[in-house]
Amino acid sequence: AIGVGAGNVPVIVDASADLPDAARKIRLSKCFDNATSCSSENAVVLLDAIYEPAMKALEAEGAWRCTPEERQRIQDVLWVDGKLNRHLIARDAARIAEAAKLPPAAHKARFFVVEETGVGKAHPFSGEKLALVLAVYRAKDFPAARDRVAEILRFQGMGHSCGIHTKDMDHARALAEGLDVVRVLVNQAHTFG
């Protein structure tokens, strides 16, 4: 038998990725069942070379790119006394926007992206959220992205899974050979993999 603990799936969007396709698949997976699947993307790691175009592709799929202030407001309402707020997990994006007092345009979003730089208890967005909130990390190159994914999994999600959007199968193999996960999904909507 193979068993795993908590999800907290991190996914790399590589420099060679088809960005519109990756963004569509990330949106489909993240929004399915309001992000309650343990296989739902909780973090994406974007390479420097494609960071802004990838963010634009996510926005084209309905993501609301939070300002630092909006990010803090989401954090303040999504966690109460260090625990996920049961009134906001598995809720529609409009409910999160309302609770976080985001601008009216954000109430039409499908999901929210928050830029993150750290991993661990002091960085709650680095863990499983069970909500339509996606942490976004920036990495200078593929090795740095792989290291960030490993760090996220060590914090929460070890043994579960990760993913990559790429045309470079050597990068996919490097993840499969170097990380302690049951599966590495390549160019797929993670929840449905």
Side-chain angles (χ1 to χ4, degrees):
I2 297 175
V4 296
N8 191 30
V9 172
V11 173
I12 295 171
V13 179
D14 204 3
S16 65
D18 178 332
L19 299 181
D21 182 64
R24 183 180 66 82
K25 288 174 178 171
I26 290 166
R27 188 252 316 151
L28 287 169
S29 179
K30 184 66 181 171
C31 292
F32 176 75
D33 209 13
N34 283 348
T36 56
S37 168
C38 65
S39 289
S40 176
E41 286 86 344
N42 271 285
V44 293
V45 182
L46 308 177
L47 271 65
D48 266 346
I50 50 88
Y51 189 86
E52 285 302 329
M55 290 294 272
K56 295 283 185 216
L58 289 167
E59 288 177 275
E61 286 294 326
W64 179 266
R65 186 175 183 175
C66 294
T67 66
E69 295 79 19
E70 292 166 347
R71 176 192 183 282
Q72 187 61 52
R73 288 204 297 271
I74 288 176
Q75 181 174 323
D76 291 345
V77 297
L78 192 54
W79 285 274
V80 177
D81 297 324
K83 295 187 178 169
L84 283 170
N85 181 347
R86 65 185 179 96
H87 299 292
L88 290 183
I89 60 174
R91 301 294 180 168
D92 292 338
R95 176 70 186 99
I96 295 169
E98 178 186 352
K101 296 181 175 41
L102 299 183
H107 292 239
K108 296 176 182 159
R110 294 177 128 170
F111 62 107
F112 305 97
V113 293
V114 295
E115 293 169 278
E116 180 58 86
T117 58
V119 176
K121 288 188 180 205
H123 306 277
F125 287 113
S126 67
E128 189 172 35
K129 293 167 275 303
L130 300 173
L132 293 170
V133 179
L134 183 67
V136 178
Y137 291 88
R138 188 176 197 134
K140 66 178 181 173
D141 54 21
F142 174 74
R146 182 192 58 222
D147 291 348
R148 179 62 81 181
V149 164
E151 185 182 11
I152 291 166
L153 291 169
R154 278 193 303 273
F155 169 58
Q156 191 177 80
M158 184 63 71
H160 202 287
S161 52
C162 68
I164 186 169
H165 293 274
T166 188
K167 292 178 185 161
D168 186 339
M169 290 306 109
D170 287 339
H171 286 179
R173 278 188 285 279
L175 287 182
E177 293 169 359
L179 297 177
D180 293 326
V181 290
V182 170
R183 63 188 184 161
V184 174
L185 295 184
V186 181
N187 299 323
Q188 295 185 48
H190 212 278
T191 295
F192 311 120

